Amino acid sequence: MALFSSLTPVFIAIICVLIGVILKKTNGEKEKHETKSKLLSRPWVDEDLKDGTDHHLEEEEADEEWQGLDENVAHVPFFAERYPEDEMIKRSKMFYELLNKRRSVRFLSDEPVPREVLDNVIRTAGTSPSGAHTEPWTFVVVQDPYLKHKIREIVEEEEEINYKKRMGDRWVNDLKRLRTNWIKEYLDTAPYLILIFKQVYGQLPNGKKKTHYYNEISVSIACGILLAALQNAGLYTVTSTPLNCGPQLRVLLQRPANEKLLLLLPVGYPKKDATVPALTRKPLEDIMVVM
């Protein structure tokens, strides 16, 4: 009896340890499952969005003083060109037919493209509207073969991980019909790469940060205008969002900490044997609601 009494604390201690181990294992499995669920539900999150250099303006700093925007912008008369109704219909139809020929082309020729054309299409993108006219975009044009190849190495390394681990089976299977993978030959062959960066904040002459309102939406609109301008000029591209490559590419291209990579566009002419998937677009009645 005395022996049993002396061993009782030991038994109790062992039981407590076992319970602790079981609970820890259960919680660990639960956390692992939750983490896996999160990864499956949002596999497309770009690591660049979690880049430590993404400094947010403090409220007191943003409201503290005037941010350098001219309070007395002159307003001038606006003269709009107005077309007759039949001309409007004709122009709208022609523009639709032009852009309806736009396709994402992954087989690009190394044939040179006039630099002036690139200048003009980027000027066109720069006409985009932006929050408080902050124009929060930077278009980095890369034509140097060494830099293009370094970009390809960075993108392919991350893309292979994306396809094999980050993206999940559903996404990878959805892409199979388009025959895409992590090999991006066009990053070497295209005469130009355009990397579009959004400026998450601006810089005032006194070193303080300036708020860039709706910077992602503003830059996204500019990208759409850029795609239309490329199509109008007879150039082709494929919209590339290089997941988890942003910080490395920003460092490679020596861009400042307030810039985040939003889109990468290889630009050029299609190869003579280029192919594209036989896809169709939704009809008007599926994309427009009139109320």
Side-chain angles (χ1 to χ4, degrees), residues 241-257:
T241 50
L243 298 181
N244 305 299
C245 301
Q248 294 181 73
L249 295 178
R250 180 166 48 76
V251 171
L252 174 68
L253 300 174
Q254 300 179 358
R255 300 313 307 157

Side-chain angles (χ1 to χ4, degrees), residues 38-85:
K38 288 178 182 177
L39 287 172
L40 288 174
S41 62
R42 294 199 64 191
W44 51 83
V45 173
D46 191 337
E47 285 297 320
D48 197 28
L49 299 178
K50 298 186 286 186
D51 186 0
T53 57
D54 188 2
H55 303 293
H56 295 286
L57 288 170
E58 300 290 339
E59 281 190 24
E60 57 269 22
E61 181 183 347
D63 298 334
E64 174 178 82
E65 59 180 278
W66 171 65
Q67 294 198 72
L69 300 177
D70 192 344
E71 293 178 345
N72 298 304
V73 176
H75 283 226
V76 297
F78 176 67
F79 299 100
E81 190 168 2
R82 184 160 179 171
Y83 306 104
E85 187 173 316

Side-chain angles (χ1 to χ4, degrees), residues 116-128:
E116 188 177 357
V117 176
L118 262 288
D119 292 349
N120 288 334
V121 296
I122 289 177
R123 280 195 186 100
T124 304
T127 68
S128 178

Side-chain angles (χ1 to χ4, degrees), residues 44 46 60 74 90 101 137 167 177 179 192-193 239:
W44 51 83
D46 191 337
E60 57 269 22
K90 178 182 176 182
K101 296 175 184 175
W137 41 67
M167 288 163 57
R177 67 192 183 103
R179 300 179 191 173
Y192 293 105
L193 304 181
T239 51

